[in-house]
């Protein structure tokens, strides 16, 4: 997963930032892809820790579990989730606008 993060998500994040700042059309697609990759990495992290029985530290420990595992990683779940919801809403708005104007219909 770290290889994917280093070679795809890292540059993808810069590409998303550039696309957002330049108001480029694929900005929401890139935002969804990068955020989904980040969420996948978090799910993989949590599932691996759970499956291994939290052998890197005691479960429910006030510092290790609640601060390190829960609080520090919550940002990496909440922010990508919010970005996916925001980008998904924009995609739905754009599709609704195209459907309303009929510009997306094929001519016979």
């Amino acid at each position: 997963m770290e290889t994917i993060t280093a070679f795809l998500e890292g540059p993808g994040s810069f590409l998303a930032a550039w696309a957002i700042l330049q108001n480029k059309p694929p900005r929401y697609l890139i935002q969804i892809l990068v955020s989904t990759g980040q969420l996948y990495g978090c799910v993989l992290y949590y599932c691996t820790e759970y499956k291994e029985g939290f052998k890197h530290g005691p479960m429910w420990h006030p510092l290790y579990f609640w601060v390190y595992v829960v609080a520090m990683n919550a940002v990496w779940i909440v922010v990508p989730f919010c970005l996916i919801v925001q980008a998904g809403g924009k995609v739905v708005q754009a599709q609704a606008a195209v459907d309303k104007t009929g510009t997306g219909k094929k001519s016979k």
Side-chain angles (χ1 to χ4, degrees), residues 33-93:
L33 292 172
V34 171
S35 296
T36 301
Q38 185 60 49
L39 279 178
Y40 174 74
C42 288
V43 168
L44 191 64
Y45 167 74
Y46 280 112
C47 289
T48 303
E49 281 294 312
Y50 177 77
K51 184 178 182 222
E52 293 178 353
F54 291 90
K55 70 178 185 179
H56 298 101
M59 189 169 184
W60 310 118
H61 185 273
L63 178 63
Y64 172 77
F65 185 77
W66 292 108
V67 174
Y68 176 69
V69 174
V70 176
M72 296 292 197
N73 287 297
V75 173
W76 301 109
I77 294 172
V78 173
V79 172
F81 179 77
C82 291
L83 290 172
I84 289 170
V85 169
Q86 184 253 351
K90 292 294 186 178
V91 170
V92 169
Q93 286 177 353

